[in-house]
Structure formats: C-alpha cells, structure tokens
Amino acid sequence: MKISYNWLKQFLKTDWTPEQTSELLTDLGLEVEGLEAYQSVKGGLEGVVIGEVLTCIKHPNADKLKVTTVNIGGESPLQIVCGAPNVAAGQKVPVATIGTTLYTEEGESWTIKKGKIRGEESHGMICAEDELGLGKSHEGILVLDNDIEVGTLAADIFKIENDKVFEIGLTPNRADAMSHLGTARDLKAGLLQKDINLELITPSVSSFNVENRTLKVDVEVINKDLAPRYCGVTISGLKVAESPNWLQHRLKAIGLTPINNIVDATNYVLHDLGQPLHAFDAVKITGNKIEVKTLETGTKFITLDGVERELHEDDLMICDAEKPMCIAGVFGGIDSGVTDSTTSIFLESAYFNPVSVRKSAKRHGLNTDASFRFERGIDPNICEYALKRAALLIQDLAGGEITSDITDIYPNKIKDFEVRLSFENTKKLIGEEIPKETIKRILTSLDIKVNNVTETGLGLTVPAFRNDVIREADVIEEILRVYGYNNIKTTEKLNASISTTTRFEDYKIQNIIGNQLASQGFFEILSNSLTTPNYTALSEQLKQEHNITILNPLSNDLSVLRQSLLFSGLETVSFNINRKRADLKLFEFGKTYHGYDDNREEFKHLSIFITGNQTSENWLEKSKKSDFFLMKGLIISLLERLGISRFNELPIKSDLFSEGLSLSLGKNKLVDFGLVKKPILKHFDINQEVIYADFKWDSILDLIKHNKIKFKAIPKYPEVRRDFALLLDDNVTFESIYKIAKQTEKQLLRAVNLFDVYQGKNLPKGKKSYAVSFTLQDENKTLTDKQIDKIMNKLQSNFEKQLGAELR
C-alpha cells in the first residue's frame, strides 16, 4: 500500500521528516518497506533557471539556428545556440545549464553538455515546454512573464511538487489503515506517546446541500445480507474533463493513472478515507432504478476490461431495471461507466459483505483497489460521510448540482464491539505494568471509547471499523504496539521450565524412521492434501461418498481431501520420471481424510515408493532393478527399529496391488505393500514397476508405546555355524524349515539363514536344493563338538521326517 507524505500532512500538520515518520509507522505495526521520492516533473527542474535573452542573431553557418546571449544572473552572459523559431531578444526563458539532466516523455534521461554547434559554442539550452516535462508542446521555446526575476529557479516558478511515498507492507488484519485517514489516525496515536499532541483534521462536508430534486434514482436492496448498507445520490449538470494538476499529482504519487475528474475524484476519496465509491452514468440507468441482487448462474456480463464473464448465483450485482451494471465491490460494467459525454451521475457508496466480495473477486480473477478493501472489511459507518465528501469534490472539479436526497438503506446497523479489559491480564501479556492513564490515553487516541473505569479494568467500546479488535488480547496488542515494543524492558532474569515428553512422541518416532530411510538413499516428499475426486474411480476401496469436498476450491483438481497417499505419491513419481529421474526412493508422512455419514475422520500414514534400479549405474557391476523383496526387507528393518519383530504375514486382497502382503499384529494392521497394478500406473503415464508400502502410522504408534526395552550383556562366548545342503520337494518353503529348526532347538539356535537355492541339472524332477546355515551359541560357555553334533543330528532327523529332506 502506498501512502503519500504530503497527503498525510493534510490530516496531521506534523513537522517530522519522512524518515522519522517511516520509523514511527514501522514501530506502530505499519511496516514501511520502502520510501520513494515523487516529483510532479521528473528531475524537479534541478539546474533550470530563468534567463533573459540579451541578443539574438542568425547562426553564420546554419539557416535555422540562432546564436543568443542569455543573462541567467551569473558573472557574464551565456552564449547558447538555439533552433527555436520564436526565440528573440528581450524574452524571459527557462535555461537548462551545463550538467542539468532532462527527461524525455518515455523517461529516458539526457544531460546538457558544453559543445559546439556548426562551429559556434553553446553553454546550455533554452527549453521548450515538452523538454522540461511541463507539457507536450514543441512548437518553440517557452516564453515566460517579463516580471520574473533573472536567476529565479524554475522549480519555484512552476511549483514543482516534491513528495515522499511510503510503501507499507500492510498485514491483512489492518483494514482500518488502508487509507491516508487510517494511517494518520495511527500516526496521531504514536505521536501522542511522544507527547506531541496534534489534531486529526478531517475534511468538512458541512457545505453539502441538495440544490433540487430533479433526478431521483430509486434503490432496492434485495440481498440485504450481502449489502448491509447502501447509499447513493445523483449529481446533474456536470462536465467531464481532465483533473486539475494537484489531483493528478496526488494520484500519480501513489501509482494511479488519472482518467477524468469524476473517476479521479472517486479514486481520491477511496485512498483518502478508505471508502470505495462508484459513479454510474445516470442516463444509462434504465428505469431510474437500482437493484442490488444476485442473478442466475451463467448470466453473461462484460466488465470494464472488455472481458465477457459468466456470473455465479452468489455474485452480488448492481443492476438497473433491465440489466446488470456492476459486480458489487469488485468491478464495473463496460456500458454503465462515466464517459466524456456524461452529464449526470448516480454516485454509490456502500458496505458489502467481505466474504461475498472476496469470493466473487477470486472467482473472476479480479483484484481491484475496491475489492482489496471490501474483502478485508471497511468502516460501515463512513459510507454517507464519504459520499458527501466525494459529491462536494466532484462539484468542485466538474460543476453540477446535487439533484436528489441521499438514499441510505441501512436496516440493521453494524454494532461496535464491547470488550472488557483487565489490567492484570494486560500486565501478564505485555510483561510490564503500563500506567493506567497511559492505557486510557492510548485507547482514546485509537478511537476506542472508555465506558467505565474500575480498579481492575476498563469497559470499552471498539468502533466497527476495527473488525480485528474483538477480544481482550486484541486490545492489549493495540496498547502494546502504540506504547512501543522497544519500550518494554528485557528482564535480567530469565525463567524456564523443563517440559517432560515421552520418547514415543510422534515427531521423535518420525525423525528416527526418516533418518533411517534417508541413510538408505530415500528422499522425503510432501504432497498436497487436496486432490481430484476422479481418483476414487481407480479403486473400489475408495468411495466417492467418503470424499470431503472443499467449499471454495481453487480448481476441480484440488477440490477434495485425499483418501489415499498412493495417488499423490504417483504424481510425484510420474513428474520425476518425465524429467529423466527414473530411479526413485521416496517416502512421505501424511494424513488421509474420510467422511462417514455425519462423522469425519483422519488417519496418519507413512508411504514408501520404490521404482527403477536399486543403485546408480556402475562400471563394476550391472544395475539391479528394485523388486518386491527389497521393499519387504526394508519394511522388516523399519519395524524392527521400532521394536516390532513379531507379526503375521498374509497375502493382500486389494485392487491397488497386483501382488502384495499385509503385515499385522493381533487385530492391528501394520502395513500393506506390493506392486502397484499396471492400470493405475498407466493412468499416471508410468511404464515401469512401482513398489508401494502403506504404513498405518496410528496403529504403529499405539503399539510401540507398550514396548518394553530389555538390555542384556553381549555374549562372551563364540558362535558356531554349521551348514546343510537339503534336497527338498518344490513345494517346501524356507518358512517351514525355519519353524522346524526353532522348535527343535529353542535355547542355543540363534539364526537360520537360506544362502543358496538350486534347481535344474543333476537334480530329480520336482526337487530343489536349499543351502541353509545354522548359527549356534551358548551365552554361558563354549560349545563342544559333541553338543553341536547332537543338535545337528536332531535337526537332520526332523527335516527328514517332517519334510522328506535328504542331505546332498
């Protein structure tokens, strides 16, 4: 937001410099992000003085040039070569001296230098109107009044306006400060804290008068919830023309382009008082009637920018008896605005529902100065005052008469906020006791009314324009920002308390698992919780009726909350593959959201994606593709890291996986994983296998809280390994070997490992060979050969009896 320093001084007659003012505004919470200089004429005519042409003769070497001598008040006259046809002796003219920088209409600069023109020296330039930036004429030099004293600075003659403009980074809650009046109100409160008591000067509207009632426009507000207040008045007999220089300079200083005196007046009041206004050409209002209402979805409407838009049923419109004329609070229509031929207007000043304006502006992709203010909430009680202010300004600029009474439809007045302030809570939140009289003075300076005073606190009435101050904490914040954050002392003693947290806190467990995955080459992703409702068609497990729909979505692709992390993860996989990153290891901690009848639930998950090769290309060994067993080993290692070493494995029944497993412990499902089905991958244009794992994080957190960690000493005595090469039937699994081994020797058997599988040549049909290792250890003594042989014989016997195994 741009605030003009000169404009600000119309409200407060301060002698503070712009730099001092910017520091105070920043301390008050209106952070000044930049301070820019503005000049009504670029360069400020610095180096241009008024001179008198003493002599003027024809150039000896050029027919169209003249050699002049000009007195600019120096020790001796200057010789200047001039090509203007109207230059003559005795004239008072503007002279750009050597070193002066002038600017073209496009903003390009050029500097006056000493030089020779066709052999004659020239020590400056006699300037035309356009060369100084004072107009567009280039017919000849600018001839001035003879009464002007030689040597006078041109900037003093032409009253160049020099201004400083504050670029304020306004926070969304400070709707009250979106004007010069609002900024001045804060500045007054800040100056008062520094014992500088200035009067806040507001423009008078006492001269507003209805000359006649010859042009009445009836107003009907149909949607009163969307337009709580609507004011209007007609002005007739006006003349649309260019705005005077002072008004153009005010608007240009804050980055606005002047249009005409009517539109400029409404823009001026908008930035002056913070009240948006709109002027309709009264002749174009069919039936002399205004209706404030919504229209059917799909209604066509062409806005001022020439774009045809389709209206939504919730868009509030300003209509006449036949057609829409304006999107209320957002943008006007192309056929109802002020033109050069306009002679009468209907001037609107209203308060529209902030939510309605914000939705309409967003829906149509429009962002105007008016919508910016309406969206955040303007002062509902300033509408009539701003209307009178604008009407008087328009009369001053364009003539005309007030030809109707003010229409003011305000059925339900927006009330001020009643707040109780406790001195004790104020001290507690601020951390320092502020004198009660200082608190009262600060609140009064902010137009917050003190209704009653007790020993314990204050009864306050907060004006409606401060829609962000509705709680006691908000009032305390107001006190603190005006009192000054820098004035609050830092205590010499800092107190702190140690909070006790369990080691099973969610974020701690996430860090453990996240670090382990990162150390194994995984990258963490964070995908959007908003997704498209079309993904429910990819799986029967996801129901359309369980989608939680966003009321005001950015687009259809982001209109529901996700029911699964799979699809958002596949979007990331596809994105990377399309950019030549085909070997991926990704994980994400996230939530899914489900709507069940009247109940809504969310669940936390850990999702893991593996695709492409396990390792990057290497000249020493061939690349190996990631597979199901890589994922299984990873999952088991993660569960073991969490202290979950025992679980049940069951084939998964899901239309998401072509093959997979589900791991569970008791009734708690821990993780589902497997190969994602090709039709789902095809939907995302993925042509390679993707292995996906979905951890039920809530269940895992609940389980590990009951884990009891047991510590034991590292065994002193050595392990012993023995191997068997077993000839088995094809249908025998390693799991059966493992179970028999564990049942045979429960005390000394530490590990069973399958390290080789052979099928094919030299083996009977239907047979396979398993090479299995057995690790034995006694924690209390060294095993003897006799003990080891006894255990191995027992294992061999049980394998032969129960599996029909043979030793090779």
Side-chain angles (χ1 to χ4, degrees), residues 94-160:
V95 178
T97 57
I98 292 172
T100 300
T101 300
L102 298 178
Y103 297 85
T104 66
E105 189 176 353
E106 293 76 23
E108 297 179 2
S109 63
W110 50 290
T111 303
I112 304 299
K113 298 178 181 179
K114 176 182 176 181
K116 282 189 176 183
I117 303 177
R118 295 287 184 94
E120 295 293 329
E121 289 188 356
S122 183
H123 297 267
M125 186 176 80
I126 305 174
C127 300
E129 184 179 280
D130 64 332
E131 291 167 335
L132 296 175
L134 297 172
K136 297 181 179 179
S137 173
H138 194 68
E139 294 177 358
I141 60 170
L142 184 60
V143 180
L144 304 174
D145 193 332
N146 275 325
D147 294 337
I148 301 174
E149 187 177 343
V150 169
T152 304
L153 298 178
D156 296 336
I157 299 297
F158 297 108
K159 296 180 180 179
I160 302 302

Side-chain angles (χ1 to χ4, degrees), residues 229 378-385 410 413-414 416 463-465:
R229 188 174 189 184
I378 62 169
D379 183 1
N381 298 318
I382 205 176
C383 294
E384 184 181 2
Y385 170 69
Y410 196 13
K413 185 175 180 181
I414 297 174
D416 296 337
F465 67 79

Side-chain angles (χ1 to χ4, degrees), residues 654-659 675-682 690:
S654 170
D655 60 356
L656 298 176
F657 301 104
S658 57
E659 56 179 304
L675 294 171
V676 180
K677 278 192 172 180
K678 288 186 177 180
I680 295 177
L681 297 179
K682 186 177 180 181
V690 176

Side-chain angles (χ1 to χ4, degrees), residues 644-655:
I644 303 173
S645 56
R646 298 171 58 190
F647 41 78
N648 299 319
E649 297 182 12
L650 289 173
I652 195 169
K653 295 180 180 178
S654 170
D655 60 356

Side-chain angles (χ1 to χ4, degrees), residues 100-270:
T100 300
T101 300
L102 298 178
Y103 297 85
T104 66
E105 189 176 353
E106 293 76 23
E108 297 179 2
S109 63
W110 50 290
T111 303
I112 304 299
K113 298 178 181 179
K114 176 182 176 181
K116 282 189 176 183
I117 303 177
R118 295 287 184 94
E120 295 293 329
E121 289 188 356
S122 183
H123 297 267
M125 186 176 80
I126 305 174
C127 300
E129 184 179 280
D130 64 332
E131 291 167 335
L132 296 175
L134 297 172
K136 297 181 179 179
S137 173
H138 194 68
E139 294 177 358
I141 60 170
L142 184 60
V143 180
L144 304 174
D145 193 332
N146 275 325
D147 294 337
I148 301 174
E149 187 177 343
V150 169
T152 304
L153 298 178
D156 296 336
I157 299 297
F158 297 108
K159 296 180 180 179
I160 302 302
E161 178 163 350
N162 292 288
D163 197 0
K164 288 294 183 71
V165 180
F166 305 106
E167 182 67 46
I168 296 179
L170 197 66
T171 52
N173 65 306
R174 292 303 309 277
D176 64 293
M178 292 187 296
S179 65
H180 286 78
L181 171 61
T183 304
R185 185 166 44 225
D186 259 23
L187 186 59
K188 176 182 182 298
L191 289 171
L192 189 61
Q193 273 304 109
K194 299 184 180 298
D195 296 323
I196 302 173
N197 191 1
L198 297 179
E199 179 187 0
L200 185 65
I201 304 169
T202 53
S204 173
V205 295
S206 59
S207 60
F208 180 86
N209 180 50
V210 179
E211 279 87 358
N212 59 67
R213 294 171 175 80
T214 56
L215 180 58
K216 182 182 179 183
V217 175
D218 295 322
V219 177
E220 181 182 5
V221 179
I222 298 172
N223 295 83
K224 292 182 173 60
D225 291 339
L226 302 184
R229 188 174 189 184
Y230 192 91
C231 303
V233 72
T234 63
I235 306 174
S236 301
L238 49 79
K239 179 175 176 57
V240 177
E242 191 177 77
S243 296
N245 287 335
W246 72 265
L247 178 54
Q248 292 195 41
H249 295 329
R250 283 283 180 267
L251 297 179
K252 287 178 180 178
I254 59 173
L256 297 182
T257 302
I259 299 173
N260 58 54
N261 49 6
I262 308 301
V263 176
D264 292 349
T266 61
N267 283 333
Y268 180 84
V269 174
L270 165 66

